[in-house]
Amino acid sequence: MTLQSSRSDKILVVDDSPDNVFLIKTILEEEGYTISTAENGISALAQLQASPCDLVLLDLMMPGMDGYEVTKHIRGDMKLSQYIPILLITAHDAPNVAHGLDLGADDFIRKPVTVDELLARVRSLLRLKHSMDERDEIARQREDFVSRLAHDLRTPLVAADRMLMLFQQGALGALSSQMQEVIAIMARSNINLLSMVNTLLEVYRFEAGRKTLTLQPVNLAQLLEEVAGELTPLIQDKKLSLNLELAEELKVNTIIGDRLELHRLFTNLIGNAIKFTDSGSVSIRLTCENQFGKNSQSIFSDYIRIEIADTGPGIPPEEQTTIFERFRQGTHKSSGSGLGLYLSRRIVEAHQGIILLNSELGKGSKFVVLLPQKT
């Protein structure tokens, strides 16, 4: 697809000199652009907040709020849905424009402006704008497609899960031992696939800003016992030992959080610990202690600490720095889609918490979740 400037592009010209504004406005309107003007920085920011444009032509030297401040606000404070290029306009004897470029401006032009140079720079920045808009639109369409695909996949997977359950229960007739074994394998594979689809859906809900937490009092001790109980069959299958250590003072205390999301978080972390551990144990520890000890006055002193440790192979140092990133798979033979730990991080951060990793090759891994006692 070839990108071309649209003559309906909207350009905001910000300058305290009426003569300069008239000249630039006349040149650009003759080319078919839609021009709006502002005589100072405050007025310009108000216009952008009310109706974003495709390009800002900004005079650097203005009384009150100068071009530097306007650039800083556009790039920092304002929550604009799309990127807007900024073309700085400066006099020949004005200070160096490098500071304006460092603050986020895209280009500059010196007064007195010439028609050819002005139009060339405007066309160049509008091409940049259109290119970035197209890239963002493609990204949105891709994410929307994946989200819809994952949602559509979930329905037949749930139906298949119900049907396989009926087979296993003998509701559709007696099965031979060989058929029962095959059905059990199919059911496990279907559950794994359904889990991956559900994780993908949750990731896109978080990234699209469509995830709303249902906050309520949550007893973390009870929740961890519940998750550990649900995963006990996996522990038994691998002949591992499970150590559950819950601080007495936290067995009756609650935090404010989304119980379903916290259940998903700990199921993922504990499930991973079991999955990647072939021998030894998985330990779950809940305490008010921060990582620096009971007497520490660190920033973590108001956090509840949950540790999930295993005796697995550990995680290489080069993987530890990116393990919580999207689609970052480990090199272990059992590594999954690379979304589980990314989703775990998003859930923890949505609760204003922190997730940490401490791992050493050959000695296992420890994931630490710090959740504020009051959220």
Side-chain angles (χ1 to χ4, degrees):
M1 180 183 297
T2 301
L3 294 171
Q4 295 180 345
S5 295
S6 168
R7 290 314 184 191
S8 62
D9 286 321
K10 295 186 293 185
I11 300 174
L12 174 62
V13 180
V14 188
D15 198 316
D16 62 320
S17 170
D19 291 340
N20 291 336
V21 170
F22 176 78
L23 173 62
I24 295 173
K25 187 172 184 291
T26 301
I27 293 172
L28 295 178
E29 283 184 338
E30 286 183 356
E31 293 296 310
Y33 298 113
T34 300
I35 308 301
S36 58
T37 64
E39 61 182 10
N40 56 60
I42 295 177
S43 174
L45 294 177
Q47 287 193 48
L48 287 175
Q49 198 70 59
S51 178
C53 61
D54 298 298
L55 174 64
V56 176
L57 270 63
L58 178 61
D59 184 29
L60 263 182
M61 298 295 108
M62 294 184 294
M65 183 182 291
D66 61 19
Y68 296 116
E69 278 296 309
V70 176
T71 300
K72 185 177 179 181
H73 279 289
I74 293 174
R75 292 292 181 251
D77 303 338
M78 299 184 68
K79 305 298 182 183
L80 299 173
S81 59
Q82 293 181 325
Y83 187 85
I84 301 178
I86 299 174
L87 175 61
L88 298 178
I89 305 173
T90 179
H92 275 294
D93 57 350
N96 197 301
V97 296
H99 182 51
L101 297 175
D102 284 339
L103 289 173
D106 298 278
D107 201 353
F108 70 95
I109 186 171
R110 293 193 182 278
K111 299 177 183 177
V113 299
T114 64
V115 174
D116 290 342
E117 184 181 8
L118 175 64
L119 293 178
R121 293 187 186 278
V122 166
R123 286 193 295 265
S124 174
L125 291 180
L126 287 175
R127 284 195 297 269
L128 171 66
K129 163 71 172 173
H130 296 157
S131 177
M132 296 183 71
D133 285 352
E134 183 182 70
R135 180 204 62 188
D136 292 342
E137 179 60 25
I138 291 173
R140 281 192 294 269
Q141 290 178 359
R142 182 178 65 246
E143 292 186 358
D144 184 60
F145 168 76
V146 174
S147 178
R148 290 175 183 274
L149 177 63
H151 186 273
D152 291 342
L153 281 173
R154 191 178 183 279
T155 301
L157 287 173
V158 170
D161 184 60
R162 299 292 182 270
M163 187 61 67
L164 290 169
M165 187 181 298
L166 290 175
F167 274 115
Q168 289 178 312
Q169 293 172 348
L172 302 177
L175 298 176
S176 66
S177 59
Q178 187 176 12
M179 282 295 295
Q180 289 176 345
E181 184 178 347
V182 170
I183 294 294
I185 293 172
M186 292 173 62
R188 286 197 299 271
S189 297
N190 193 77
I191 289 173
N192 290 337
L193 185 55
L194 183 58
S195 176
M196 291 174 60
V197 170
N198 286 336
T199 299
L200 186 58
L201 271 173
E202 289 302 311
V203 165
Y204 279 103
R205 286 192 182 112
F206 271 102
E207 293 188 337
R210 299 172 185 167
K211 189 66 182 180
T212 302
L213 298 183
T214 303
L215 300 178
Q216 59 182 318
V218 179
N219 185 308
L220 286 178
Q222 291 180 359
L223 180 60
L224 290 171
E225 286 181 329
E226 177 184 317
V227 173
E230 293 170 355
L231 296 176
T232 294
L234 298 180
I235 286 280
Q236 294 173 341
D237 287 345
K238 301 191 72 173
K239 296 180 173 58
L240 303 174
S241 62
L242 177 64
N243 305 317
L244 188 59
E245 180 183 340
L246 307 174
E248 286 296 327
E249 64 270 26
L250 292 178
K251 289 186 177 180
V252 294
N253 289 357
T254 61
I255 68 165
I256 301 300
D258 187 312
R259 196 178 194 281
L260 180 62
E261 293 305 316
L262 292 174
H263 185 283
R264 193 192 312 276
L265 164 69
F266 294 121
T267 298
N268 184 44
L269 294 179
I270 298 170
N272 275 354
I274 298 170
K275 177 180 179 182
F276 294 112
T277 303
D278 295 324
S279 63
S281 64
V282 172
S283 300
I284 305 167
R285 185 168 181 256
L286 173 67
T287 179
C288 285
E289 295 175 356
N290 61 68
Q291 64 183 12
F292 300 100
K294 292 182 179 179
N295 298 322
S296 172
Q297 298 299 315
S298 78
I299 59 173
F300 299 115
S301 58
D302 291 329
Y303 284 71
I304 291 178
R305 181 182 178 91
I306 306 97
E307 298 178 359
I308 295 97
D310 62 58
T311 57
I315 301 170
E318 62 272 15
E319 292 180 15
Q320 294 182 30
T321 56
T322 59
I323 198 161
F324 293 111
E325 294 181 7
R326 194 168 180 260
F327 293 121
R328 289 290 185 173
Q329 295 173 296
T331 56
H332 192 277
K333 61 183 179 181
S334 299
S335 294
S337 63
L339 285 174
L341 288 177
Y342 173 74
L343 179 59
S344 296
R345 177 174 68 83
R346 295 299 297 260
I347 294 172
V348 172
E349 291 176 350
H351 286 81
Q352 288 82 53
I354 302 166
I355 185 168
L356 306 168
L357 167 64
N358 182 10
S359 183
E360 187 175 346
L361 284 176
K363 296 185 179 180
S365 302
K366 179 193 293 183
F367 285 87
V368 178
V369 175
L370 299 170
L371 294 175
Q373 297 191 48
K374 296 180 180 179
T375 56

